Amino acid sequence: MKRISILGSTGSIGRSTLDVVESYPDRFQIIALAAGRNLETTLEQARRWKPRVVSVAAEEDAETFHKSLKTSGISGVDVVHGSAGTVRVATHPDADFVVSAIVGVAGLEATYEAVRAGKTVGLANKECMVAAGELITAEARRQGKPLLPIDSEHNAVHQCLRGGRLEEVERIWLTASGGPFRNTPKSEFSSITVEQALAHPTWKMGRRITIDSATLMNKGFEVIEACRLFDLKPDQVKVIVHPQSTIHSMVEFVDGSILAQFSVTDMRLPILYALTYPERIRSDMRFSVMDLRHLEFAPPDMEKFPCLALAYEAAEAGGAKSVALNAADEVAVAAFLDGCIRFDQITTVIERVLNETKSVQLESINRILEADVGARGAAQEKVHQLSNKPARLRPSPALREE
Amino acid sequence: MKRISILGSTGSIGRSTLDVVESYPDRFQIIALAAGRNLETTLEQARRWKPRVVSVAAEEDAETFHKSLKTSGISGVDVVHGSAGTVRVATHPDADFVVSAIVGVAGLEATYEAVRAGKTVGLANKECMVAAGELITAEARRQGKPLLPIDSEHNAVHQCLRGGRLEEVERIWLTASGGPFRNTPKSEFSSITVEQALAHPTWKMGRRITIDSATLMNKGFEVIEACRLFDLKPDQVKVIVHPQSTIHSMVEFVDGSILAQFSVTDMRLPILYALTYPERIRSDMRFSVMDLRHLEFAPPDMEKFPCLALAYEAAEAGGAKSVALNAADEVAVAAFLDGCIRFDQITTVIERVLNETKSVQLESINRILEADVGARGAAQEKVHQLSNKPARLRPSPALREE
C-alpha cells in the first residue's frame, strides 16, 4: 500500500491522481491533500478520501472549511492553511509519496521539504525544477530517493533512460507539438489574439501553460527541467517538433540507438507510472498501435520562437537566470492574457528581464523566492513600459491552482 | 577484453562483426572462426585476426587451407572442418562470446553447443530459434546466460524490454517493411518474377531472406523467434507494416506505455549492442533525428501474405510444426529462385507440408534435425507436384553461408 500526499489536489493533475488512486483501492491510500481556494471540490475530496490533513490557501477558508466538514459529519481531518499548511501535507510522516502539482513557484518550498523529508516525489510542477532544480535534485540524491517526472515528456525520457546508464546518454529529444502557430508566419505574430493563443492543437491544459506552449516557452522550461532532472548539459537536450504529439520523447544513446516512448495522451498514465515505479501495473489506457498512420517531425524554428533560445540561455546559466526566466514569463503571459501586451511582446519582456539578471547561483529556497519576487517586479516594469494599460497587480507567489 | 568466436565469419553478419571488432581493438579479441567454402575470404580473416581455430566446411578444403596458411607464413592456427569443426569453434574454452551467424539449420547444433558450454551467444541465425528455440532458451536459462538477438527487430525488442519486467509486457510489435509487394494486388502474385522478388526496398540481404521478406515469411519467423526468445505467447507478438523501417520494433507494457527503438539500418549496431551488453559504448553510427520527416504505419494484410498466418500457426504449435515451417520454406524459396514454382506457390508448398506435419514436441537437437530432413523431403515432393521442371537437388543441412 503506497501512502500518498497531493500538493494541488483540486488542479488537473491532482484530480487525475485521485482518479488513479480510485482505480487501485488496494494499492494506494490518500494521506493528506493541499488545495487552494476551491473549497467545494476540496470538501468533496475530503469526504471521499478521508485524508488525515487538508490544507487550504487562506486562513479564513480554513475556518469555513472546518465548519463544512463538521456539518457534513466528517471528523478526524486536520485543517491547516497557507504555505506552512502545504509543507505539513508535503512532509506528513505517514506519507511515502508526494505528488507535487501546485502550479508555479508556490509549490516550491513544499516540494523541497517533501524531498528533504525523504519522500519519493512525483513532479508535475515544472517551475520547481526550472527555479530550483539544482537544489531539489541535490537533496533527492542525498536522500537516495528518485524524483519521478509526471509530465508526459520527462516521464517518457525517464522510461527510455531505463535502456541504458545515464553516462551512456548522448542526448535526449523532447517532442513539441509546435503549438497553434507552427505554420503562422512570424510577421503575423504581433496580431495574435488571446483566443487564438488559447487554442492548443493537442493537449487541453491550463491558460498559462497553453500560452507557454504557443510561444514554445513551455518546451524551454522542459529543456531546463530535463537538464536538472537527468543531469544533462543543455546541448544534450534537443527539441523536435512532432505535431501529432504521439511520441512523447526520445533518448539517444552513445551507441546510436534511440528509444522513444508513446502512449495515449492521458496524464493518468505518467501519474500511474510514477506512483508504481519501479513496477508497472495494468491500466486500461491503451494506445492502439494499429491506428498509427502518419507521424511527422520537423526541427523547431528558433527564430520564430525566440523563447526557446532564451530558455537555453537560462539553462546554461542556471541559478538566478532560470528563476528570472520563469518569473518574467509568468508575468508576461498574464499581461498578454489581460490585454496589456501583444503576443510577440511576451518575448520582449522576458528578454529584457533576463538581460538585467546577473548570472549567480542561489543556494537556498529563500534566495530563490527572493530572486523570483525581484524578477516579477522587473517584469511588471517591462510590461508597463510596453503597455498603455496598467498591468493588473497579481499576487506574488501564493497558493494558486491551475 | 571480450573473447569472441564467430560461426559464419565470411557471411554478412560475420564480416560486420569483424568490422565492429576492428573498431574497438582494446575491447574485443577473436578466438575462433567458422566459415564455409569461401576459402579466400577465410584466409584473409585468418591472416588479419590470428584466430586459434579456423573451421571450414569440407575436409578437402581444410587441407588446402592448411597449406595456404603455411604458404602465407601464418602459424598457430588449428584448422578443423565440418560440423565437428564448427562445434569446436562454438565451444572453444577461451571464448566468452559466440556470434551465431551461420544461415539455416546448419548453425543449429553449434549454437546449441555454445549455449551448453556456458557461452554468451549473440543470435543472428533466425532458423535456430524457429526450429529449436524451446531447447536453446531452456539451456540458456539453465546456464544463466543471456541470449542476445542480433537481428534489428529482436535487438530493438531487447532494448525496449529494459523499460520493464518481462511479466509487465502486454505485447510486442515487430515492424515489417512490407516488402516489395505491399502495394501489389494479390491477383498479380502468380506472375511475380524472381527479379522483382529480389528487389527489397530497405535492407540489402541474402537471397533467401529477401524472398522471405517479400512473402512476409521472414516476419513470421521473427514472430516465432520472439515467442521463444522473450517467452511470449504468439498472440502477444504483433506485426505492423512500417515501410520506412525506421522504428525497428516496439514493446507495449501493461500500463499502456509503448517503447520503440530506432537507429541507422546498419547491422553493426545490434552486433555492437550484443557484444557490449549490458554496457553501451560509443559508435559513429548516428541516426539523425532531425532528418526524421514522415513515418507511416499500417496493419499487415494477412490474406495477401498467408505465410504470416502459417507462421502464427507454427508458433502456436511449436516443435515439429516450427521445424517444418522453416524447412518447407527453405525448399520452396529455392524452388522459386530456380524457376520451378511460382511466387504464390511458395505458400502452397509450405501449407501442404505443415498440414501433413504432426504437432509434436522435439526433445533433442537430433530429433529436430531428423524432422528437418523429413520436412525437406516432403517439401521437395510438393514442389515436384506443382512443377513441370524437376527441383534441383539441394544438400540437406550442411555448412552453408549466406
Side-chain angles (χ1 to χ4, degrees):
Chain A
M1 184 70 87
K2 205 160 264 180
R3 297 170 307 165
I4 299 164
S5 287
I6 303 176
L7 312 180
S9 66
T10 58
S12 121
I13 295 290
R15 282 178 285 121
S16 294
T17 304
L18 290 171
D19 274 358
V20 171
V21 170
E22 178 114 50
S23 304
Y24 303 91
D26 298 340
R27 289 202 159 246
F28 307 122
Q29 186 190 351
I30 294 298
I31 296 295
L33 300 174
R37 306 214 61 156
N38 180 347
L39 296 192
E40 200 181 327
T41 304
T42 313
L43 188 65
E44 272 170 41
Q45 293 180 344
R47 195 178 282 137
R48 167 72 186 80
W49 297 103
K50 310 272 186 310
R52 299 175 199 179
V53 177
V54 168
S55 179
V56 294
E59 189 168 0
E60 62 271 26
D61 286 349
E63 282 168 38
T64 317
F65 192 74
H66 189 74
K67 280 181 201 146
S68 309
L69 282 179
K70 245 185 162 167
T71 315
S72 311
I74 305 165
S75 60
V77 180
D78 232 351
V79 182
V80 293
H81 69 272
S83 50
T86 314
V87 169
R88 212 168 130 210
V89 169
T91 58
H92 195 290
D94 295 345
D96 318 306
F97 194 103
V98 174
V99 174
S100 164
I102 292 171
V103 177
V105 292
L108 186 51
E109 190 191 357
T111 302
Y112 184 67
E113 291 303 327
V115 176
R116 273 208 336 142
K119 312 298 184 193
T120 298
V121 172
L123 269 175
N125 173 323
K126 206 161 287 183
E127 295 86 352
C128 274
M129 289 312 281
V130 173
E134 296 99 332
L135 284 185
I136 292 174
T137 51
E139 185 58 33
R141 221 172 290 129
R142 247 193 305 276
Q143 297 287 342
K145 287 286 161 64
L147 283 172
L148 297 163
I150 285 183
D151 60 317
S152 63
E153 289 83 357
H154 299 84
N155 190 267
V157 170
H158 193 275
Q159 296 194 32
C160 294
L161 283 174
R162 295 167 73 164
R165 290 172 304 157
L166 214 47
E167 57 271 32
E168 293 165 356
V169 174
E170 179 77 357
R171 56 179 74 84
I172 68 171
W173 295 88
L174 302 175
T175 53
S177 73
F181 308 124
R182 191 166 55 94
N183 298 318
T184 308
K186 182 154 173 102
S187 58
E188 292 172 23
F189 271 36
S190 58
S191 54
I192 286 169
T193 65
V194 170
E195 199 181 20
Q196 287 168 333
L198 284 176
H200 190 271
T202 327
W203 292 89
K204 214 183 133 24
M205 304 170 292
R207 286 160 65 89
R208 180 187 171 196
I209 193 173
T210 303
I211 302 300
D212 283 343
S213 297
T215 61
L216 293 202
M217 182 54 104
N218 183 53
K219 211 44 63 176
F221 289 150
E222 290 178 4
V223 168
I224 301 178
E225 190 183 356
C227 290
R228 306 300 176 247
L229 262 177
F230 307 120
D231 201 17
L232 298 169
K233 295 194 178 66
D235 67 0
Q236 289 181 289
V237 181
K238 304 288 184 190
V239 171
I240 186 160
V241 173
H242 171 39
Q244 292 81 16
S245 298
T246 301
I247 289 184
H248 296 321
S249 277
M250 308 184 248
V251 171
E252 182 176 341
F253 292 97
V254 291
D255 62 355
S257 277
I258 299 163
L259 294 187
Q261 188 266 359
F262 59 105
S263 64
V264 289
T265 50
D266 185 326
M267 290 313 297
R268 292 176 305 150
L269 203 140
I271 292 168
L272 180 66
Y273 177 85
L275 287 179
T276 59
Y277 178 81
E279 271 182 87
R280 291 180 186 269
I281 64 175
R282 182 168 297 280
S283 87
D284 55 3
M285 292 176 277
R286 299 250 81 84
F287 182 96
S288 170
V289 172
M290 274 302 174
D291 291 343
L292 272 177
R293 286 290 175 271
H294 285 269
L295 302 181
E296 293 164 284
F297 301 88
D301 186 338
M302 297 279 245
E303 211 186 310
K304 210 161 100 178
F305 298 103
C307 278
L308 196 51
L310 294 175
Y312 273 102
E313 191 191 319
E316 193 64 61
K321 292 254 192 196
S322 282
V323 173
L325 184 84
N326 173 58
D329 178 70
E330 186 165 332
V331 171
V333 167
F336 167 66
L337 288 172
D338 288 349
C340 296
I341 59 171
R342 299 192 312 260
F343 183 78
D344 60 315
Q345 290 177 326
I346 295 174
T347 312
T348 317
V349 170
I350 301 166
E351 193 168 18
R352 291 184 183 174
V353 172
L354 266 196
N355 284 344
E356 281 177 12
T357 306
K358 278 194 199 130
S359 177
V360 289
Q361 299 308 305
L362 305 168
E363 278 85 29
S364 71
I365 295 292
N366 274 344
R367 289 214 50 208
I368 288 168
L369 292 175
E370 278 164 32
D372 179 72
V373 173
R376 269 164 217 273
Q380 296 281 12
E381 221 175 83
K382 307 302 167 202
V383 167
H384 189 71
Q385 286 163 8
L386 289 167
S387 161
N388 293 324
K389 191 173 155 188
R392 177 151 66 87
L393 266 181
R394 298 185 82 82
S396 195
L399 215 53
R400 281 167 301 107
E401 292 158 61
E402 215 172 288
Chain B
M1 186 68 89
K2 205 162 264 181
R3 297 171 307 165
I4 299 164
S5 287
I6 304 176
L7 311 180
S9 66
T10 59
S12 121
I13 295 292
R15 281 179 285 120
S16 294
T17 304
L18 290 172
D19 274 358
V20 171
V21 170
E22 178 113 50
S23 304
Y24 302 92
D26 300 340
R27 288 201 160 247
F28 307 123
Q29 188 191 350
I30 294 297
I31 296 296
L33 301 174
R37 307 213 62 155
N38 181 345
L39 296 192
E40 201 181 327
T41 304
T42 313
L43 188 66
E44 271 168 42
Q45 294 180 344
R47 195 177 282 137
R48 168 70 187 83
W49 296 104
K50 311 273 185 311
R52 298 175 200 178
V53 178
V54 169
S55 179
V56 294
E59 189 167 2
E60 62 273 24
D61 286 349
E63 282 167 38
T64 318
F65 192 74
H66 189 73
K67 280 181 201 148
S68 310
L69 283 178
K70 244 183 164 169
T71 315
S72 311
I74 304 166
S75 60
V77 180
D78 232 350
V79 182
V80 293
H81 68 271
S83 51
T86 314
V87 169
R88 209 163 135 215
V89 168
T91 58
H92 195 289
D94 295 345
D96 318 307
F97 194 103
V98 175
V99 174
S100 164
I102 293 173
V103 176
V105 292
L108 185 51
E109 189 191 358
T111 303
Y112 183 67
E113 291 303 328
V115 175
R116 272 208 336 143
K119 312 299 183 192
T120 298
V121 172
L123 269 176
N125 174 322
K126 207 161 285 183
E127 295 85 352
C128 275
M129 291 311 281
V130 173
E134 296 99 333
L135 284 186
I136 292 174
T137 51
E139 185 58 32
R141 221 171 290 130
R142 245 194 305 276
Q143 296 287 342
K145 288 287 161 61
L147 282 173
L148 297 163
I150 285 183
D151 60 317
S152 64
E153 289 81 357
H154 299 83
N155 190 267
V157 171
H158 192 275
Q159 297 194 33
C160 295
L161 283 175
R162 295 168 73 164
R165 290 173 305 157
L166 214 46
E167 57 271 32
E168 292 164 357
V169 173
E170 179 77 356
R171 57 178 75 83
I172 68 172
W173 295 88
L174 302 176
T175 54
S177 73
F181 308 124
R182 189 166 57 93
N183 298 318
T184 308
K186 181 150 175 104
S187 58
E188 292 172 23
F189 271 36
S190 58
S191 55
I192 285 169
T193 66
V194 169
E195 199 181 20
Q196 288 168 332
L198 284 176
H200 190 270
T202 325
W203 293 89
K204 213 184 134 22
M205 303 170 295
R207 285 160 66 90
R208 180 187 170 196
I209 193 174
T210 302
I211 302 301
D212 283 342
S213 297
T215 61
L216 292 204
M217 181 54 103
N218 183 52
K219 210 45 61 177
F221 289 149
E222 290 178 3
V223 168
I224 301 178
E225 190 184 357
C227 289
R228 306 300 176 248
L229 262 177
F230 306 119
D231 201 17
L232 299 169
K233 295 194 177 68
D235 67 0
Q236 289 181 289
V237 180
K238 303 289 183 188
V239 172
I240 186 161
V241 173
H242 171 39
Q244 291 82 16
S245 298
T246 301
I247 289 184
H248 296 321
S249 278
M250 308 184 248
V251 171
E252 182 175 342
F253 292 97
V254 290
D255 62 354
S257 276
I258 299 163
L259 294 187
Q261 188 266 359
F262 59 106
S263 64
V264 288
T265 50
D266 185 327
M267 289 313 296
R268 292 175 306 152
L269 204 139
I271 292 168
L272 180 65
Y273 177 85
L275 287 179
T276 59
Y277 179 81
E279 271 183 88
R280 290 181 186 268
I281 65 176
R282 182 169 297 281
S283 87
D284 56 3
M285 292 176 278
R286 299 249 81 85
F287 181 96
S288 171
V289 172
M290 274 302 173
D291 291 342
L292 272 178
R293 286 289 173 271
H294 285 270
L295 301 182
E296 294 164 283
F297 302 87
D301 185 338
M302 297 280 246
E303 211 186 311
K304 209 161 100 178
F305 298 102
C307 278
L308 197 50
L310 294 175
Y312 273 101
E313 190 190 320
E316 193 64 60
K321 292 255 191 195
S322 283
V323 173
L325 183 83
N326 173 58
D329 177 70
E330 187 166 331
V331 171
V333 167
F336 167 66
L337 288 173
D338 288 348
C340 297
I341 58 171
R342 298 191 315 258
F343 183 78
D344 60 314
Q345 289 177 326
I346 296 174
T347 312
T348 316
V349 170
I350 302 166
E351 194 169 15
R352 290 186 184 173
V353 173
L354 266 194
N355 284 344
E356 280 178 11
T357 307
K358 277 193 199 132
S359 178
V360 288
Q361 298 309 304
L362 305 168
E363 278 86 28
S364 72
I365 295 292
N366 273 344
R367 288 213 50 206
I368 288 168
L369 292 175
E370 278 165 32
D372 179 72
V373 173
R376 268 164 218 274
Q380 296 282 13
E381 218 174 87
K382 308 302 166 201
V383 167
H384 189 70
Q385 287 162 6
L386 290 167
S387 161
N388 294 324
K389 193 172 153 186
R392 179 151 65 88
L393 265 181
R394 300 183 81 82
S396 195
L399 214 54
R400 281 167 301 107
E401 292 158 63
E402 215 173 290

